[in-house]
Structure formats: structure tokens, C-alpha cells
Amino acid sequence: MIQLPPTIRTSLGKHLYRDLIRLFPIMQGSQNDFYSKYLEKLTPRNFDRGNFITKVGRLVHEVYFIVKGTVMNFNTRKEFRAGHMINHDCVYKNEM
């Protein structure tokens, strides 16, 4: 397998995740080493309407960046739209 140089991988990642970078201030204006370290860890996922991302009582290890669509928290009835991150507080605090 051919490994791309870090500068090319970073440029490619910034291009592929440009919508996410545009929506989330935490992703904007960072140094290239930040992008090269973290953009590779992102995994794009699509969820069908009605599918659960996580359930109450589960320990979560993933943060979700909503780029398109809406996510509903069925416990609080709160809606999260494009530009929101979910689970970040649970991951940070290592909580359920």
C-alpha cells in the first residue's frame, strides 16, 4: 500500500471534510498537524430515519458531528440539526 506524504493527506482531508470544517468552529483555523491527526479518525456515517445512534445507559466512546439532517433525543425531545455535536459531553466526562 502506498502512503501519501503528510502534506497531501492533510490537504485531501481538508477537502473531503470541508462541509464539516465549515459548520463547526472547533474545526476552523487549526494548524495542519491538528487536521492531519484528527481528520483521519473521522468516519462518515449515514443513519436511516428511526434508527438509534445510542441508547440510555450505554457508555459512549464516539462524538457525532451532524452535517446534514436532524437527530432527536427521545428522552428530552430536543432536536439537533446540522452544526451540532452530540455525545461530546459524555465522552469528555466518560459518562453514560
Side-chain angles (χ1 to χ4, degrees):
M1 184 159 109
I2 298 174
Q3 185 90 358
L4 294 173
T7 54
I8 293 176
R9 282 198 331 258
T10 300
S11 295
L12 183 60
K14 287 168 74 173
H15 176 72
L16 292 173
Y17 291 103
R18 65 188 176 275
D19 292 339
L20 180 120
I21 293 169
R22 180 181 47 80
L23 277 173
F24 295 92
I26 193 172
M27 295 288 195
Q28 298 168 6
S30 296
Q31 300 294 322
N32 281 340
D33 59 339
F34 170 85
Y35 293 117
S36 66
K37 183 176 181 180
Y38 292 108
L39 289 181
E40 289 181 357
K41 297 179 186 285
L42 297 176
T43 305
R45 294 186 58 189
N46 293 311
F47 294 94
D48 293 328
R49 184 182 188 101
N51 282 4
F52 289 97
I53 293 173
T54 189
K55 294 183 180 179
V56 173
R58 288 190 182 167
L59 188 61
V60 294
H61 303 284
E62 298 164 330
V63 173
Y64 293 94
F65 296 88
I66 304 170
V67 177
K68 294 180 185 174
T70 303
V71 174
M72 170 69 77
N73 181 323
F74 285 102
N75 291 334
T76 64
R77 306 304 294 170
K78 183 175 181 181
E79 284 189 359
F80 299 92
R81 298 184 182 278
H84 282 103
M85 289 187 329
I86 57 174
N87 284 353
H88 56 83
D89 51 342
C90 297
V91 171
Y92 178 73
K93 296 175 185 175
N94 199 29
E95 294 179 340
M96 294 183 188

